[in-house]
Amino acid sequence: MADLARAILQLIQRENPKAPLTDEQIAQHLGVSRFQVTVARSAAGIPDSRERLRPSLMEAIRQVTQADPSISDRELTARLNAEGFKVSRFTVGHLRKEVEARQQLPDPAAAQTTRQFGPPVGAGSRQGLSAPSPEGRLRQRQAVSVAARGRSGAGNPFAQIIGSQGSLKPHIQQAKAAMLYPPNGLHTLIVGPSGVGKNQLAEAMYQFAVSLRGESGPIPFVAFNCADYAENPQLLLSQLFGHVRGAFTGAETAKAGLVEMADGGILFLDEVHRLPAEGQEILFQLMDRGRYRRLGETELERRATVTIIAATTESPESALLMTFRRRIPMIIELPALAERPFSERMELIRHFFRMEAARTHTRIRLRSEAARAFLLYDCPGNIGQLKSDIQVACARGFLVHVTEETDEVVVGLPELPSTVRRGLLKLPQHRAEVERLVAGDLIIQPTAEVQVREEEDLYTLPGEIYQYIENRHAALRKAGLTDSEISRLLDAELDRQIRQHVRQIELQAHPLSRDELVEHAGPEMVETVEAMLARIQRDLPAPDRHLYYCLVMHVSAAVERLRQGKPIVYPHLEDVRTQYGREFGLALEMLEVLRGRTGLDFPEDEAAFLAMYLRSALRGQEPGREGRVGLVVLTHGRVAGALVEVAGRLVGAHHARWFEMELDESPESALSRLIPLVREADEGKGVLLLADMGSLLSFGEVITERTGIPTRTVPRVDILMVLEAMRRTASPDTSLDQVAEQLTSLVGGTAPRRATGGHGVKTIVTLCLTGQGTAERLKALLEKLLGGEGVEVVSLGVAGDVDIAERLRQLSLQRRLVAVVGTVDPGFPGIPFIPVEEVLSGRGAERVRRALGADRTPDAADLIQPEFLIPRARWSTREEALDACTHLLLTRGCVTQAFVTDVFRRELAGPTVLQGGVALPHGSPMHVQKPAVVVATLADPVNWAGHPVSVVCMLALGAMGKETFMQLYRVLTSDALVARIRAAASREEMRQALLEALQAPDPSGVQTRRNR
């Protein structure tokens, strides 16, 4: 570990202080995993890249602002980036405030602050200071690290794991026992699904072992993911145990393995189930006898004392050999996120939002409904997926923050991935516990340790309903929604919120007595409500005390509001009148009593509020409610009725409803007829929709938005599916999600036919759930990214009056649809969907470009650009050449960091060298963002795994076809061309030679497209 820390220090001493190396980049340079770099750097107290950037960036900000105090943050950012920094305006603005605040300190403090500023790592000599040696700096960092741990109480690394004193306490005790066991700890296997925190626990175990060792010396820690080389078992075993010369093709020299590096310490093997049986047997010998052999070694036995910590997502009994399992006495099974309490999940949510606030240097407001969704949604990827989904939501909120220049990043339901939003469908089952954890919006400050709560839930008392409507209506209108969209959303929210409030009152241990109500609301209001309930006694003979309490509080607020001259408005009044006819009729009678006793002219809108309270009460009195999952079968034409009738007779169940859409009926008309049927089918557990095709497949989410009733849609209708759905939903012991997932698995995997599309303008559709606000922002972003690509971007909103499936179908007839980008996948056959988070992260831009260029193969000559040509390079090793070429591609934005990793991995597996001394290193097309080719000639040939190489051609061809590669291959196998480009003294000479060769006829018959 100390050797790795020294190597890291030596590397960062040479880094550019304006662009410090990330852990990933350091790992690539040193040929180790990023996890090893992070652990070694943290243990040695070496700052990360952001902290190393901070001194030089703050000094640059200080110098510029001193010379021009009135410079704007935008201009300051542009100037800094022109000087070589790569920073955002928000980071600059944040640090500028800190610089200005420090400049106002008294002299002694200012002097101390100046010392804290720098000099930057590796910049001591330029500042007139002597930089310590790597060994000295390592000792300094270790001393600082130990002292810091002592001051902060961080001597127990397990304390940093959320749940260490809760659901994970027994697992932490196991981990401690394993590390405490003499003499060197017990071999341990950590088992659990992906994303539960196995790596974090392994790192904490290592740090705990370090604290036990004390001052007796450093402990090596080597991490290795067995999946990285799973497809090449020979190379995997070589990485672990080393090899001797000639052990396999390409093994030109002997090499030590990771076991030797970990001697005297800990070897962490992630995804150990990917280790082949031979490797497990060798590890068994190592654990059993402390001996092993390098790959290809037959006589010499080597010794090593290594504690193994392994991790797997698979069952040990089925994935690991019995002999291997027998030598691992400690097995720690980490629970999935769904098995842990909501309180710990909430703590994780806060933690990840604090991280995003720190990253963006911006306050984040997490809306209460979004927090509830994060608490409840199905998260099969566990903690890792939760973190990822939070980052996605913050990215979407940050887009709004940037484009609209707001004071904070707001994360509400529109910013959540659709899978997270579906978590709210589980709210009825967990309402009490969730409401205790989420009492209002969470405000996360970028520098605060604990979140600050603001704004209690507006539904703490029902008297706040009117104010809520005013505020919510204004917010939705500001978001760009139409009046009809606002009405639908508010209607669904009010229905849900009123039922929620009634339920909260039901959960109270000591509901208010009549005397307490009189004291709170006054005798007049209590007597008025009693008279209103007496008027409808024949239809509601025994109103429960919770409805009584809610109505007293509600009527009291309504009377006060009307006396102050404030209006009472219920959105979608006519829908309540028609869909809840019984409740609305009773509410009108109650309203008549209210008007008579108060002398106030209440509008009919007030009856709608009363009807919703009655609806909640009457639900509890209806027989069979909160029973089964509802089932509605949807088809075009007269099919559904016959299917339901036959299936009902066979199964003996009659709870399913059916709906038939006329062939010439508009989607909006069909939806208006379907919603009452879904309400009728709902027994409190949601409704399953079996739909045959077209717009019927998209109705579920709109119904949930308008009614608050959870729905799931399964895209298949035939007699077998209806029978199975009816059988599964007949039981009261099943949930909507369970039934939907079971039926979805029966649908099968037939691929949809690709839509042919029109022959007009290439078109990308941007799509959002609740309106066109986000879609418009995405449109502007794509138009900026794709300027000059000859493509039109059209924005659509799912929750509008237009049927999305039909609108896309019409567009496909008129234009050439190439992609849909947005927050919700419309499932349009043959058109790729690209999530908004991919576009924001940069990964989706190349997918869009590939979709645009799917009908053409770029010409190889287009890729011969001067910036990627390097004449007479003075590289002495293969690694130096690979590093320089990948660095050029990376800095030009052509490839991702994963491409660099893949290039080195492929070269280890076996070099690609053509006759004539030409090397063709390359990486996976999936990691290419922009096609490019780097061609370099070498001043002196280098040893390329046993072959002398004088020309390097690194290919980053992306999704380009075989034809482009063949063009390049033809010219690079020409001895005459190789000789000509080797003789070229400039980039232009190299380019001219390559272009002429590409354009020349091919004697073998393979010609470039330009000559055909």
Side-chain angles (χ1 to χ4, degrees):
M1 182 62 66
D3 291 340
L4 180 57
R6 290 191 189 94
I8 293 171
L9 279 173
Q10 290 171 356
L11 188 61
I12 66 177
Q13 281 182 321
R14 302 192 302 270
E15 72 183 356
N16 180 359
K18 296 181 180 180
L21 297 171
T22 64
D23 285 1
E24 183 70 30
Q25 291 170 325
I26 293 173
Q28 290 300 323
H29 279 284
L30 299 180
V32 297
S33 72
R34 183 197 60 78
F35 184 61
Q36 287 176 266
V37 171
T38 302
V39 171
R41 181 182 54 72
S42 301
I46 302 172
D48 62 20
S49 59
R50 285 181 295 180
E51 286 302 310
R52 300 200 304 276
L53 171 67
R54 185 183 177 90
S56 57
L57 180 56
M58 292 185 74
E59 176 61 21
I61 291 173
R62 185 187 66 79
Q63 292 178 2
V64 175
T65 53
Q66 273 188 345
D68 185 2
S70 63
I71 189 172
S72 67
D73 286 353
R74 192 180 301 276
E75 292 171 332
L76 176 58
T77 304
R79 187 175 301 182
L80 292 171
N81 285 330
E83 292 179 6
F85 291 99
K86 293 182 179 179
V87 290
S88 69
R89 178 165 59 90
F90 303 95
T91 300
V92 170
H94 177 76
L95 292 181
R96 180 180 186 173
K97 292 177 182 177
E98 189 172 338
V99 169
E100 292 172 348
R102 290 183 172 187
Q103 288 174 339
Q104 297 173 4
L105 293 172
D107 288 343
Q112 176 64 27
T113 302
T114 303
R115 287 194 292 274
Q116 292 173 355
F117 272 16
V121 174
S125 59
R126 293 193 297 273
Q127 301 288 332
L129 302 174
S130 58
S133 66
E135 291 76 9
R137 178 168 287 179
L138 177 59
R139 286 193 295 272
Q140 292 175 10
R141 295 296 188 191
Q142 288 175 331
V144 170
S145 179
V146 171
R149 284 199 294 268
R151 290 193 303 271
S152 65
N156 177 15
F158 297 108
Q160 308 302 316
I161 299 177
I162 292 173
S164 60
Q165 296 301 312
S167 65
L168 299 184
K169 188 172 183 178
H171 308 86
I172 300 298
Q173 290 173 338
Q174 283 182 281
K176 287 182 177 179
M179 292 296 97
L180 286 166
Y181 198 86
N184 301 308
L186 295 177
H187 303 302
T188 302
L189 178 64
I190 306 174
V191 182
S194 177
V196 294
K198 299 187 290 294
N199 285 38
Q200 185 185 19
L201 180 61
E203 183 180 348
M205 291 173 71
Y206 160 69
Q207 292 177 351
F208 184 67
V210 170
S211 68
L212 295 176
R213 182 76 63 93
E215 300 300 323
S216 59
I219 300 177
F221 182 82
V222 178
F224 179 72
N225 190 320
C226 299
D228 287 345
Y229 297 89
E231 296 179 1
N232 191 332
Q234 194 176 53
L235 192 58
L236 191 155
L237 296 177
S238 169
Q239 290 291 319
L240 272 178
F241 306 107
H243 62 254
V244 298
R245 182 180 179 183
F248 53 87
T249 303
E252 301 295 331
T253 59
K255 175 187 173 184
L258 299 179
V259 168
E260 288 173 66
M261 292 174 59
D263 189 17
I266 293 172
L267 175 63
F268 174 54
L269 299 176
D270 199 5
E271 299 194 65
V272 70
H273 59 274
R274 305 295 296 274
L275 190 65
E278 181 185 354
Q280 294 184 37
E281 288 286 359
I282 299 175
L283 272 184
F284 165 73
Q285 296 295 329
L286 175 66
M287 293 186 289
D288 192 48
R289 301 167 50 235
R291 298 180 181 181
Y292 72 100
R293 286 189 174 95
R294 289 181 178 179
L295 198 62
E297 218 162 32
T298 56
E299 299 179 359
L300 178 64
E301 260 195 340
R302 300 175 184 270
R303 294 180 176 273
T305 302
V306 176
T307 302
I308 303 292
I309 301 178
T312 180
T313 57
E314 304 296 322
S315 166
E317 288 75 17
S318 61
L320 301 174
L321 296 177
M322 184 178 66
T323 52
F324 180 65
R325 299 198 312 268
R326 198 171 62 210
R327 290 302 303 161
I328 302 181
M330 182 65 74
I331 298 180
I332 304 174
E333 297 187 34
L334 292 181
L337 184 59
E339 299 170 15
R340 297 175 61 177
F342 282 134
S343 58
E344 291 180 5
R345 185 157 175 171
M346 192 67 216
E347 194 173 346
L348 287 165
I349 291 168
R350 292 192 189 101
H351 172 67
F352 292 138
F353 271 101
R354 289 192 197 105
M355 291 173 59
E356 296 310 303
R359 288 176 62 195
T360 60
H361 301 295
T362 308
R363 183 174 72 242
I364 297 177
R365 177 184 294 271
L366 176 61
R367 296 292 187 193
S368 57
E369 62 268 26
R372 294 177 185 121
F374 274 119
L375 270 176
L376 293 170
Y377 83 106
D378 291 329
C379 194
N382 298 293
I383 299 172
Q385 182 179 343
L386 177 66
K387 179 180 180 181
S388 175
D389 287 335
I390 287 173
Q391 289 177 333
V392 167
C394 288
R396 291 174 173 173
F398 196 72
L399 173 64
V400 178
H401 169 61
V402 171
T403 56
E404 299 185 1
E405 298 186 356
T406 58
D407 293 335
E408 59 188 5
V409 172
V410 177
V411 177
L413 289 181
E415 284 70 44
L416 304 190
S418 59
T419 53
V420 178
R421 287 197 299 270
R422 283 202 290 268
L424 290 178
L425 304 182
K426 297 183 178 181
L427 191 56
Q429 299 100 297
H430 306 284
R431 193 180 306 278
E433 188 170 3
V434 169
E435 297 303 334
R436 281 196 295 270
L437 292 170
V438 183
D441 291 355
L442 294 181
I443 308 300
I444 301 98
Q445 301 289 352
T447 56
E449 290 297 324
V450 181
Q451 88 290 344
V452 179
R453 288 183 183 267
E454 289 183 4
E455 296 184 12
E456 290 300 316
D457 190 338
L458 289 171
Y459 273 84
T460 301
L461 287 176
E464 300 293 339
I465 286 177
Y466 304 110
Q467 190 63 45
Y468 172 80
I469 291 173
E470 288 180 348
N471 294 342
R472 189 74 172 123
H473 190 280
L476 292 174
R477 173 163 286 179
K478 183 179 179 181
L481 275 67
T482 65
D483 287 342
S484 63
E485 291 169 342
I486 292 172
S487 294
R488 289 172 189 165
L489 286 172
L490 277 179
D491 180 45
E493 288 182 16
L494 287 173
D495 184 14
R496 183 172 61 251
Q497 293 281 18
I498 290 175
R499 278 188 278 150
Q500 171 184 325
H501 179 66
V502 172
R503 178 63 178 161
Q504 283 179 319
I505 301 304
E506 290 173 356
L507 294 171
Q508 288 186 3
H510 303 289
L512 298 179
S513 65
R514 185 182 189 280
D515 290 341
E516 289 171 318
L517 283 175
V518 168
E519 182 179 346
H520 186 83
E524 179 187 357
M525 287 300 99
V526 173
E527 292 168 4
T528 297
V529 170
E530 289 173 345
M532 293 165 65
L533 289 173
R535 177 68 174 267
I536 62 169
Q537 188 173 5
R538 66 186 185 281
D539 293 288
L540 199 65
D544 60 47
R545 60 197 308 173
H546 306 300
L547 174 64
Y548 174 49
Y549 166 78
C550 288
L551 286 176
V552 169
M553 302 303 296
H554 174 84
V555 170
S556 175
V559 169
E560 182 64 25
R561 182 178 184 84
L562 211 57
R563 284 174 176 167
Q564 293 177 0
K566 296 182 178 180
I568 290 178
V569 178
Y570 191 99
H572 249 201
L573 170 64
E574 292 306 316
D575 276 0
V576 177
R577 189 197 305 273
T578 56
Q579 294 169 10
Y580 301 123
R582 178 190 178 197
E583 292 87 348
F584 192 75
L586 295 176
L588 287 175
E589 294 186 49
M590 296 171 69
L591 186 61
E592 188 177 326
V593 175
L594 179 59
R595 287 169 176 163
R597 294 186 70 97
T598 61
L600 298 173
D601 185 19
F602 277 91
E604 280 195 348
D605 297 74
E606 177 58 30
F609 284 108
L610 297 174
M612 297 309 294
Y613 279 107
L614 291 177
R615 174 65 179 165
S616 178
L618 290 172
R619 272 175 175 266
Q621 295 184 6
E622 293 173 7
R625 305 309 282 184
E626 297 295 333
R628 301 168 295 194
V629 173
L631 174 61
V632 181
V633 179
L634 318 175
T635 64
H636 289 77
R638 303 190 182 281
V639 179
L643 288 173
V644 170
E645 182 180 358
V646 172
R649 288 180 181 178
L650 293 173
V651 176
H654 305 284
H655 62 287
R657 271 77 170 174
W658 52 269
F659 177 87
E660 295 171 342
M661 181 177 177
E662 300 296 334
L663 297 179
D664 58 350
E665 185 176 10
S666 71
E668 190 60 36
S669 170
L671 189 59
S672 65
R673 292 196 300 115
L674 177 59
I675 286 177
L677 190 63
V678 172
R679 292 184 190 274
E680 183 182 330
D682 181 31
E683 296 184 11
K685 285 190 172 181
V687 177
L688 178 73
L689 306 176
L690 297 185
D692 61 356
M693 61 181 179
S695 57
L696 294 178
L697 296 172
S698 64
F699 281 175
E701 195 161 356
V702 180
I703 291 171
T704 298
E705 288 286 344
R706 294 190 185 183
T707 66
I709 297 172
T711 62
R712 291 287 300 273
T713 302
V714 175
R716 173 176 155 185
V717 179
D718 55 43
I719 188 61
L720 293 177
M721 182 59 73
V722 175
L723 278 169
E724 193 64 21
M726 196 173 289
R727 183 180 68 81
R728 292 178 187 271
T729 56
S731 170
D733 298 327
T734 58
S735 70
L736 175 61
D737 286 336
Q738 287 173 335
V739 175
E741 297 302 327
Q742 291 165 354
L743 293 178
T744 299
S745 67
L746 301 177
V747 171
T750 55
R753 293 178 300 161
R754 178 155 185 96
T756 56
H759 300 286
V761 180
K762 289 183 181 179
T763 303
I764 295 173
V765 173
T766 59
L767 203 60
C768 71
L769 177 67
T770 56
Q772 289 189 293
T774 303
E776 287 291 342
R777 283 190 287 271
L778 280 174
K779 176 181 177 181
L781 179 62
L782 285 173
E783 287 175 341
K784 182 178 179 181
L785 287 173
L786 302 173
E789 295 278 357
V791 61
E792 185 173 343
V793 184
V794 175
S795 62
L796 295 177
V798 174
D801 294 329
V802 179
D803 174 49
I804 286 299
E806 179 60 22
R807 182 75 177 105
L808 288 174
R809 188 187 69 81
Q810 293 173 2
L811 278 172
S812 70
L813 296 176
Q814 303 161 2
R815 304 160 180 262
R816 192 155 30 142
L817 293 189
V818 295
V820 175
V821 179
T823 59
V824 59
D825 185 357
F828 195 75
I831 303 300
F833 172 71
I834 302 172
V836 61
E837 54 267 24
E838 287 197 16
V839 176
L840 292 177
S841 67
R843 299 190 304 271
E846 176 57 20
R847 286 187 60 189
V848 173
R849 290 192 178 95
R850 290 179 186 175
L852 289 172
D855 58 344
R856 67 181 183 91
T857 302
D859 197 275
D862 297 334
L863 303 181
I864 307 302
Q865 300 298 327
E867 60 181 325
F868 295 112
L869 303 178
I870 308 172
R872 300 181 181 179
R874 295 193 175 278
W875 301 326
S876 56
T877 65
R878 173 178 62 159
E879 288 69 26
E880 190 177 354
L882 292 173
D883 189 58
C885 292
T886 54
H887 180 73
L888 179 60
L889 291 170
L890 199 61
T891 54
R892 295 297 192 277
C894 299
V895 299
T896 66
Q897 186 65 48
F899 178 90
V900 180
T901 304
D902 197 49
V903 167
F904 280 89
R905 184 179 300 164
R906 289 176 185 233
E907 282 295 319
L908 285 173
T912 305
V913 180
L914 305 178
Q915 289 184 354
V918 179
L920 287 175
H922 57 282
S924 171
M926 66 182 296
H927 304 313
V928 176
Q929 295 181 319
K930 184 172 62 176
V933 174
V934 177
V935 181
T937 60
L938 308 182
D940 298 300
V942 300
N943 183 340
W944 203 282
H947 305 278
V949 165
S950 56
V951 177
V952 179
C953 178
M954 181 168 286
L955 307 176
L957 298 183
M960 297 165 62
K962 177 182 177 182
E963 181 181 345
T964 305
F965 170 76
M966 289 304 298
Q967 294 175 48
L968 293 167
Y969 178 82
R970 178 176 62 84
V971 299
L972 291 173
T973 51
S974 165
D975 292 339
L977 172 69
V978 172
R980 183 176 173 186
I981 62 173
R982 285 191 62 193
S986 67
R987 292 179 175 181
E988 187 52 41
E989 287 183 33
M990 287 180 67
R991 184 170 185 270
Q992 191 63 34
L994 287 165
L995 290 178
E996 289 179 6
L998 285 168
Q999 294 169 355
D1002 179 16
S1004 66
V1006 180
Q1007 297 176 321
T1008 65
R1009 287 183 291 116
R1010 291 186 178 186
N1011 292 322
R1012 273 184 259 170

